[in-house]
């Protein structure tokens, strides 16, 4: 039987994330594969695909996946506009003035919500805290 390895997730040990371990080649640190599951969403960082409540996977662009992963891993905590912008700015050729950062983040969230709607994710799953940023709505916030 092939050994099983577990890739540590970014987050606290008492978080609501589940870890899924998959059988891998017997050589550690090669072909490591992991999935992130949180409540109704499943993220596959390797393929940048997501599924919602068992839906067929949807492949996202790098910037959309990075934004979504950051929001989900924050577990309901607000990610500021600056934090989101710093994560996604590497995907854009154009340099943005600081006055344009908020607009770019708003456009990114709007685009992400449109993509998520394709697999049935409610538009209000990504919540806004005006003047602060965005957060992923968790069950305890309902």
């Amino acid at each position: 039987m092939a050994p099983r390895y577990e890739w540590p997730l970014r987050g606290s040990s008492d978080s609501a994330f589940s870890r899924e371990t998959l059988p891998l080649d017997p050589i550690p640190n090669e072909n490591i594969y992991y999935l992130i599951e949180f409540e109704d969403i499943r993220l596959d960082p390797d393929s940048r695909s997501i599924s919602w409540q068992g839906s067929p996977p949807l492949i996202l662009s790098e910037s959309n996946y990075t934004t979504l992963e950051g929001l989900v891993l924050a577990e309901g905590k607000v990610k500021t506009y600056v934090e989101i912008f710093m994560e996604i700015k590497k995907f854009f050729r154009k340099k943005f003035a600081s006055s344009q950062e908020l607009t770019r983040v708003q456009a990114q969230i709007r685009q992400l919500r449109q993509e998520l709607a394709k697999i049935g994710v409610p538009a209000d799953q990504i919540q806004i805290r005006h003047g602060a940023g965005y957060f992923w709505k968790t069950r305890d916030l309902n």
Side-chain angles (χ1 to χ4, degrees), residues 3-139:
R4 297 170 74 84
Y5 300 99
E6 188 173 75
W7 184 267
L9 291 176
R10 295 168 279 179
S12 62
S13 60
D14 61 343
S15 71
F17 293 103
S18 70
R19 295 184 177 115
E20 183 172 316
T21 55
L22 303 171
L24 301 171
D25 295 331
I27 303 169
N29 299 326
E30 288 191 18
N31 303 320
I32 294 174
Y33 186 82
Y34 67 103
L35 299 172
I36 300 168
E37 288 185 338
F38 181 70
E39 297 180 346
D40 294 330
I41 194 163
R42 181 181 217 172
L43 296 96
D44 181 345
D46 189 47
S47 66
R48 293 188 331 263
S49 65
I50 62 161
S51 63
W52 175 258
Q53 298 176 338
S55 70
L58 172 70
I59 297 174
L60 297 175
S61 68
E62 281 186 88
S63 61
N64 279 340
Y65 183 85
T66 300
T67 303
L68 178 62
E69 184 182 55
L71 290 169
V72 171
L73 290 176
E75 298 184 63
K77 295 179 184 75
V78 174
K79 298 262 311 183
T80 68
Y81 300 112
V82 172
E83 289 172 328
I84 295 170
F85 183 78
M86 295 307 285
E87 290 174 354
I88 63 172
K89 74 177 187 176
K90 64 184 171 197
F91 300 113
F92 304 106
R93 290 190 182 115
K94 177 184 173 187
K95 300 260 189 233
F96 292 94
S98 59
S99 61
Q100 296 173 312
E101 290 176 7
L102 173 60
T103 305
R104 182 60 243 169
V105 170
Q106 290 170 333
Q108 183 71 29
I109 296 295
R110 184 172 45 255
Q111 182 183 31
L112 179 56
R113 283 178 174 151
Q114 290 169 353
E115 287 292 306
L116 295 176
K118 293 177 183 176
I119 58 170
V121 179
D124 70 343
Q125 190 63 43
I126 297 175
Q127 298 276 309
I128 186 169
R129 174 104 5 103
H130 291 284
Y134 293 92
F135 62 96
W136 184 259
K137 185 171 75 172
T138 61
R139 287 190 185 130

